Amino acid sequence: MLLSEEDMSKLPFNSAKLFNSNPDLFESFLRYYHKKIIRSGFVFQIQPYSIKFPTFVVHIIPSASGKGNEDIVEMLKQIKIIAKKYKVLIQTFAFDGDKCFNLLHQLYFTSYFDFILKNSQIRIIQRSPVIRVVTDGLHLLKRLRYRLFKCRVHSGFQKENPFIEIESLMRILVHLPSVVFNNEKITKMNDHLPLMLFSLESFLIILENENFVAASYWLPITTFIISLTNNNLSYEWQKYFLEISFWFLFHYKKLEQIEIKAHNGMILKQTKRSDDVDVRFYTNDQIVQFLNTVHCHIQFMEKYGSSY
């Protein structure tokens, strides 16, 4: 339990003995401080780029909420500084989709996007001016999966544009178990469901049925999965599939900016409202995190070659 010094000072000296003899009092204590009970923790690990070396834990911070904050971001920076003293160079931060990391993502995104916009090529940066950041791939895929079920996802930026019809997808993706299309809360953090939904087999079936709206949503996700999970791919093919994913996302983001300017910001919302479930493919956070993750992989494939 994460109690402050002030909270601790309010407890009687023999509180453990009192709670042991009076369970009702202990229950009242737990109810009063329920928001301070440790339910999760932040585990800080260093993962070497070479698969020859194992990942190792360097720090753990207990948490009552499980939500990241500025303290967690600051701890990442401190670990980077300390690791450097021991000749361990941390080149990337990787984490889930907590909003506290959005600023780091935006800084990294800004460091390369305008250059690519002007030059139409991915520049390989040996020394990045900002820390590279990525989002855990499975966490990103899970969010893109359940977005399909809680919103009406359109291919463009206006309500008139076609949207993905889940019912029609369920009729053609008969090889998938029904749980893949289940929107109950218990399914949201399942690692396997998005991998099945966005598999190459699913993508090809969607394409063969000429459902091009869904196919365009699937394309960058499926190619991303293929690149990182297919062990039979050569280095060149892995990079090729990552580039497909990147350029689709990049041009989508570029088109989004054009549409915002052309319609004075009046385009489809990023997230649904109680009276409006129509949204575009991605929220800004999702596409920035997706682009950053793919961009970073491409950077390190170029830097470290087939050993990455």
Side-chain angles (χ1 to χ4, degrees):
M1 185 172 286
L2 300 174
L3 297 179
S4 65
E5 290 186 9
E6 182 181 354
D7 292 330
M8 292 292 290
S9 66
K10 295 176 182 178
L11 295 175
F13 176 75
N14 59 341
S15 56
K17 187 176 181 180
L18 284 172
F19 292 153
N20 188 51
S21 62
N22 190 340
D24 290 338
L25 182 63
F26 183 56
E27 287 183 13
S28 298
F29 168 77
L30 291 177
R31 281 195 296 270
Y32 186 80
Y33 287 110
H34 73 279
K35 291 185 178 180
K36 298 189 177 184
I37 295 173
I38 296 173
R39 293 181 173 85
S40 57
F42 288 90
V43 180
F44 297 82
Q45 300 180 108
I46 292 180
Q47 180 176 340
Y49 287 114
S50 173
I51 60 174
K52 296 178 183 179
F53 305 104
T55 298
F56 55 96
V57 176
V58 294
H59 193 57
I60 298 175
I61 295 180
S63 172
S65 68
K67 294 181 180 179
N69 53 38
E70 287 302 315
D71 292 337
I72 300 301
V73 175
E74 191 58 36
M75 180 55 67
L76 282 169
K77 296 176 181 178
Q78 287 301 314
I79 289 173
K80 184 176 185 291
I81 293 170
I82 295 170
K84 188 175 181 181
K85 294 179 181 178
Y86 293 91
K87 298 182 179 180
V88 176
L89 182 61
I90 294 175
Q91 299 191 60
T92 312
F93 289 155
F95 25 63
D96 59 18
D98 279 0
K99 292 185 180 298
C100 69
F101 304 123
N102 284 353
L103 178 58
L104 293 176
H105 267 293
Q106 193 59 48
L107 288 172
Y108 179 42
F109 174 77
T110 303
S111 73
Y112 65 79
F113 185 80
D114 285 344
F115 176 87
I116 299 175
L117 198 61
K118 293 175 183 177
N119 298 278
S120 299
Q121 64 176 351
I122 302 173
R123 177 177 57 177
I124 303 306
I125 306 168
Q126 295 298 324
R127 289 181 175 270
S128 177
V130 298
I131 186 70
R132 297 181 175 95
V133 292
V134 302
T135 294
D136 171 67
L138 282 173
H139 188 87
L140 186 60
L141 299 183
K142 284 181 279 193
R143 288 158 59 198
L144 292 172
R145 171 188 164 268
Y146 62 74
R147 181 173 179 80
L148 289 170
F149 307 136
K150 67 178 183 178
C151 305
R152 186 182 296 124
V153 181
H154 292 255
S155 60
F157 301 92
Q158 303 296 328
K159 281 189 178 182
E160 295 75 25
N161 297 131
F163 59 88
I164 299 172
E165 298 181 23
I166 296 300
E167 292 77 12
S168 65
L169 289 178
M170 292 176 69
R171 286 194 293 270
I172 62 175
L173 298 178
V174 293
H175 67 291
L176 296 176
S178 59
V179 68
V180 172
F181 298 98
N182 192 312
N183 193 33
E184 293 182 19
K185 191 174 181 179
I186 194 173
T187 69
K188 288 187 176 181
M189 288 298 109
N190 185 297
D191 290 344
H192 301 290
L193 299 184
L195 293 175
M196 288 191 285
L197 180 63
F198 298 118
S199 67
L200 178 59
E201 182 180 1
S202 297
F203 173 71
L204 291 176
I205 291 172
I206 291 170
L207 201 59
E208 288 168 359
N209 281 268
E210 299 184 355
N211 190 333
F212 300 122
V213 177
S216 60
Y217 190 84
W218 256 247
L219 177 64
I221 305 172
T222 301
T223 52
F224 176 70
I225 293 173
I226 291 171
S227 177
L228 298 186
T229 62
N230 193 318
N231 295 325
N232 296 321
L233 287 180
S234 66
Y235 167 84
E236 289 75 15
W237 277 106
Q238 282 183 310
K239 185 168 175 287
Y240 175 71
F241 279 111
L242 277 178
E243 287 175 341
I244 292 174
S245 181
F246 181 85
W247 284 112
F248 180 95
L249 295 167
F250 176 85
H251 285 294
Y252 181 94
K253 185 64 178 175
K254 176 183 175 181
L255 181 59
E256 179 188 82
Q257 292 181 343
I258 293 171
E259 288 289 312
I260 290 173
K261 187 175 181 180
H263 295 90
N264 295 318
M266 300 300 291
I267 65 172
L268 283 169
K269 295 180 176 63
Q270 297 183 53
T271 57
K272 71 171 186 176
R273 302 291 188 269
S274 58
D275 60 341
D276 187 1
V277 297
D278 294 285
V279 298
R280 49 194 193 257
F281 267 13
Y282 320 99
T283 67
N284 184 65
D285 293 345
Q286 286 170 344
I287 194 167
V288 166
Q289 290 174 23
F290 203 167
L291 275 166
N292 284 353
T293 301
V294 180
H295 183 268
C296 188
H297 278 299
I298 292 171
Q299 292 288 309
F300 287 133
M301 286 191 75
E302 285 287 345
K303 185 173 183 177
Y304 295 107
S306 57
S307 62
Y308 173 66

